[in-house]
Amino acid sequence: MKPNIVYLDFETSGLDSTRHSVLQAAWIVERNGEVLQERVYDVQPDRNDDFCLAALDMNGFDLARIKAGRYMSHILTILKQDCLQVSSPRICGHNVQFDISFLTAAADRAHENLFLYLDLKKFLDTAAIARFLDYQGVLSLDRYNLDTCCTHFGIVNDRAHDALGDIRATRELFHILTGLPNGKS
């Protein structure tokens, strides 16, 4: 039986979860390899934000789009409901500790206890899996960012730096990396 997974990706207004906010949240809930839920939301920051203009530009956001988003506290409620559809889900992402830092910061501000339905210590990280395959000598890339990994494995992500496009690509990458015979490409 395959693990229950919540693939998670955030696009953010910068790199520091103490100063910046989530601009877009996307996740896919998977049970035994089958997708149960797929969601994406633009997010309205719930506090003053030290916006990084380069991050806004890279993600295609402007102030009007940000103001039209939902509040993260509402999005966390939906995420919780989706996570409760499966038992013991694991978070998976590409460089997922970055996303987890934003998730926990938002949950703290919303007084939401994520540990009641997510084990944030047993996460799965496609970047780490790819680097481990490099360590084993079965994969060798110049870089292990999502774009490079996707290109290597022929995964088309025509929505790079869009949370839903990135998380769909991450899910496909996870299945490829974990399904490689003897870890070989």
Side-chain angles (χ1 to χ4, degrees), residues 8 13 38 52 63 78 126 146 161:
L8 180 73
S13 63
E38 182 179 272
C52 172
L63 292 179
I78 297 167
T126 53
L146 184 59
H161 301 294

Side-chain angles (χ1 to χ4, degrees), residues 73-132:
S73 57
H74 178 74
I75 292 168
L76 287 172
T77 300
I78 297 167
L79 176 61
K80 178 180 180 178
Q81 292 168 350
D82 288 351
C83 288
L84 291 173
Q85 293 181 47
V86 296
S87 63
S88 305
R90 296 231 180 156
I91 293 285
C92 181
H94 199 82
N95 291 317
V96 73
Q97 286 181 299
F98 173 84
D99 301 285
I100 288 172
S101 73
F102 278 87
L103 178 64
T104 55
D108 287 348
R109 286 191 304 278
H111 306 290
E112 176 70 51
N113 187 349
L114 295 172
F115 294 102
L116 294 176
Y117 55 95
L118 283 175
D119 186 345
L120 298 178
K121 294 180 182 175
K122 293 184 178 180
F123 58 84
L124 302 165
D125 190 329
T126 53
I129 295 167
R131 286 186 196 99
F132 180 73

Side-chain angles (χ1 to χ4, degrees), residues 6-8 25-29 37-39 41 75 78-79 82:
V6 176
Y7 299 90
L8 180 73
W27 62 86
I28 298 170
V29 178
Q37 193 65 255
E38 182 179 272
R39 298 194 192 264
Y41 295 99
I75 292 168
I78 297 167
L79 176 61
D82 288 351

Side-chain angles (χ1 to χ4, degrees), residues 53-71:
L53 296 179
L56 292 177
D57 185 51
M58 178 173 56
N59 296 318
F61 281 85
D62 59 27
L63 292 179
R65 182 173 174 188
I66 292 168
K67 287 182 180 182
R70 294 186 181 195
Y71 286 108

Side-chain angles (χ1 to χ4, degrees), residues 5-11 26-28 30 91-96 99 124-129 144-147 149-150 153 155-157 159-178:
I5 299 174
V6 176
Y7 299 90
L8 180 73
D9 187 65
F10 293 147
E11 298 302 325
W27 62 86
I28 298 170
E30 179 183 276
I91 293 285
C92 181
H94 199 82
N95 291 317
V96 73
D99 301 285
L124 302 165
D125 190 329
T126 53
I129 295 167
Y144 288 94
N145 63 22
L146 184 59
D147 293 338
C149 289
C150 286
F153 288 106
I155 299 169
V156 177
N157 182 5
R159 295 173 61 177
H161 301 294
D162 170 88
L164 185 58
D166 286 351
I167 206 57
R168 284 175 175 163
T170 298
R171 178 177 178 265
E172 188 174 347
L173 179 62
F174 177 78
H175 284 269
I176 289 171
L177 290 173
T178 59

Side-chain angles (χ1 to χ4, degrees), residues 130-147:
R131 286 186 196 99
F132 180 73
L133 292 173
D134 177 274
Y135 168 77
Q136 288 184 316
V138 296
L139 182 64
S140 180
L141 303 176
D142 293 333
R143 299 174 62 194
Y144 288 94
N145 63 22
L146 184 59
D147 293 338

